[in-house]
């Protein structure tokens, strides 16, 4: 996407990130979730590859429930926005290698947030707030343990 249309991509992402900041400032996480999806759609669209665009849409559709739950926490949404800003900075410098590295970092962070949210303990703080581990796999087997 950087090589094909760096200026257009940069403008579109900058506008999207501005709207993301406003949504977070207003604590409007519903709008933020939509803008987050648009951010990734823009990157896929400007790649010029129908295959990448289709893959992104398929992944977004499958991950919607998990992403929505994780992004409905201010801390997670703010971390996601910081990742988007790093990606944009690399794109503005026309630094494709750095943009890919920042994208990978952002996606790994999102994956960790989803696993953390889906596998967290719900209950007294002294019981911990770490992801569940079952058979050595994060989030394997169950997603919640609730204590009353």
């Amino acid at each position: 996407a950087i090589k094909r249309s760096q200026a257009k991509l940069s403008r579109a992402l900058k506008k999207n990130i501005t709207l993301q900041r406003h949504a977070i400032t207003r604590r409007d996480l519903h709008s933020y979730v939509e803008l987050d999806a648009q951010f990734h759609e823009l990157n896929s669209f400007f790649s010029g590859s129908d295959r990448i665009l289709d893959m992104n849409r398929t992944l977004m559709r499958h991950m919607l429930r998990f992403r929505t739950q994780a992004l409905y926490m201010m801390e997670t949404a703010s971390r996601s926005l910081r990742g988007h800003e790093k990606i944009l900075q690399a794109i503005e410098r026309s630094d494709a290698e750095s943009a890919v590295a920042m994208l990978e970092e952002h996606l790994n962070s999102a994956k960790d947030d989803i696993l953390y949210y889906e596998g967290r303990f719900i209950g007294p703080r002294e019981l911990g707030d770490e992801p569940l581990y079952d058979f050595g796999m994060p989030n394997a087997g169950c997603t919640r343990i609730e204590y009353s």
Side-chain angles (χ1 to χ4, degrees), residues 44-106:
S44 299
F45 174 77
F46 280 104
S47 74
S49 168
D50 289 337
R51 184 172 184 195
I52 290 174
L53 189 57
D54 287 343
M55 287 172 50
N56 178 66
R57 288 177 177 164
T58 299
L59 181 60
M60 294 299 254
R61 209 171 27 253
H62 288 294
M63 295 297 297
L64 181 63
R65 180 175 68 90
F66 301 109
R67 288 180 52 258
T68 299
Q69 289 175 345
L71 285 172
Y72 267 100
M73 296 186 295
M74 285 300 295
E75 179 184 336
T76 305
S78 295
R79 187 172 26 258
S80 174
L81 173 59
R82 287 191 300 273
H84 293 169
E85 291 170 335
K86 288 179 182 180
I87 294 165
L88 174 60
Q89 290 167 359
I91 290 169
E92 289 178 330
R93 293 190 312 269
S94 294
D95 184 350
E97 187 174 315
S98 180
V100 169
M102 293 299 100
L103 178 60
E104 288 174 353
E105 181 181 304
H106 173 64

